[in-house]
Amino acid sequence: MRSLLLVVVLTLTACAQQPAKDDSLYRDLGEQAGITRIVEGMLLNIAGDARIVRHFENIDIERLRDKLVEQICVEAGGPCTYTGDSMEESHKGQNLTPSDFNALVENLQDAMTTQGVAIPAQNRLLARLAPMRAQVIDR
């Protein structure tokens, strides 16, 4: 009986010491609905951006939207699971340049601004997405 009690106490202690997941950025982005609006706004911005729109021709835009929403949700600390391909795989053969990447980021920032996302929250998201740059350019 003592060993069972010890196991229960240790289990409860371990659970209590787990840090809570920080979902503050997810909330700052407007949760699932806000992230969806941001992604849709970004894609609309890209559709009018002559610098990079050619990279989105012949792409299933609905699937891309869904995977981007998942990815941003995960990066923002939300309760989502990313089910898409790796960044390397999804950008293979596209020969994207730093200018292409920067244009996409500008479109994302414009979409966040349109949705009323505060600059500090925008910067937090961009900082979390920045490591993907190396996984996207020249693949």
Side-chain angles (χ1 to χ4, degrees), residues 34-56 61 64-65 68 72 100-117 122:
I35 292 170
T36 299
R37 287 190 302 272
I38 290 165
V39 168
E40 288 174 348
M42 179 185 75
L43 292 173
L44 286 171
N45 292 345
I46 289 168
D49 189 338
R51 298 173 297 173
I52 60 173
V53 69
R54 71 186 179 283
H55 294 296
F56 294 85
I61 293 297
L64 176 61
R65 179 201 60 213
L68 288 170
I72 290 174
D100 296 327
F101 186 85
N102 293 342
L104 182 129
V105 170
E106 288 173 24
N107 285 298
L108 173 58
Q109 288 176 296
D110 289 345
M112 288 191 288
T113 298
T114 298
Q115 290 302 314
V117 176
Q122 290 185 32

